Amino acid sequence: MINLGPFSGRNCPNVHFRPALLDRFLEGAAILIFLTTCGCIFWLYTRKGEGLLPNVWIMGGVSLFTLIVMGACSYVPVRLINFPVRVNERNIGIQYLLAVRLTRVMNVILNLMFLSGAFLEYYKSAFVFFSASFVLLALAFVGYYILAFKYK
């Protein structure tokens, strides 16, 4: 269940959303970032060998878990989403579209955060990218809520 607010989509008609080019691009970007994370972990392993910290392996595992869960959440039916505004037959289409796009954008941002998190212990400049991921995540939530209340 995706919980974005107090209003359930259970009593609304089931909306089928065919992913657009932008949605496919976001899914592909998340997969590409995950593969880059795996490649960077392998690169760090070849450089550090046995001295590789467990945090790096954890970042890779959590990145895979996030990719699978957030990717699956992009395809949940409307009855499993709680929206921040009251939904009805008139606005369910746009609210569902916004919620699905938010999950895809979060998938990309979270995988970027895990990619930069793998380098935190080894490169001090990775903290900038790690912090920027949090800022992007906050901006995604703020943008979603602004659009959700605009189109209620």
Side-chain angles (χ1 to χ4, degrees):
M1 176 179 279
I2 300 173
N3 191 7
L4 298 170
F7 301 105
S8 175
R10 279 180 210 261
N11 298 331
C12 290
N14 197 10
V15 177
H16 296 286
F17 173 67
R18 185 173 175 204
L21 183 63
L22 175 65
D23 299 307
R24 297 296 184 200
F25 175 75
L26 288 171
E27 289 174 349
I31 292 170
L32 184 65
I33 293 168
F34 169 71
L35 292 175
T36 304
T37 303
C38 292
C40 289
I41 290 171
F42 178 73
W43 178 74
L44 280 172
Y45 179 72
T46 58
R47 292 193 67 211
K48 302 294 182 183
E50 297 293 324
L52 195 62
L53 293 173
N55 295 347
V56 177
W57 298 109
I58 291 172
M59 288 293 177
V62 172
S63 181
L64 175 64
F65 179 74
T66 302
L67 180 73
I68 292 170
V69 170
M70 294 301 286
C73 284
S74 298
Y75 293 97
V76 298
V78 76
R79 68 181 183 274
L80 296 178
I81 301 175
N82 287 343
F83 297 97
V85 296
R86 197 172 302 277
V87 290
N88 52 31
E89 291 83 14
R90 183 178 52 86
N91 68 351
I92 189 65
I94 189 69
Q95 294 296 327
Y96 182 67
L97 173 71
L98 289 172
V100 167
R101 290 252 167 97
L102 176 68
T103 57
R104 290 189 173 118
V105 168
M106 282 179 50
N107 197 359
V108 170
I109 295 171
L110 289 173
N111 276 301
L112 278 174
M113 184 175 64
F114 296 133
L115 173 63
S116 61
F119 289 105
L120 276 177
E121 296 294 324
Y122 301 106
Y123 300 102
K124 299 301 179 199
S125 60
F127 182 74
V128 174
F129 296 108
F130 192 73
S131 302
S133 299
F134 278 110
V135 172
L136 286 174
L137 194 59
L139 287 175
F141 271 108
V142 168
Y144 166 74
Y145 280 101
I146 287 171
L147 290 173
F149 282 103
K150 179 182 178 185
Y151 293 112
K152 68 178 182 175

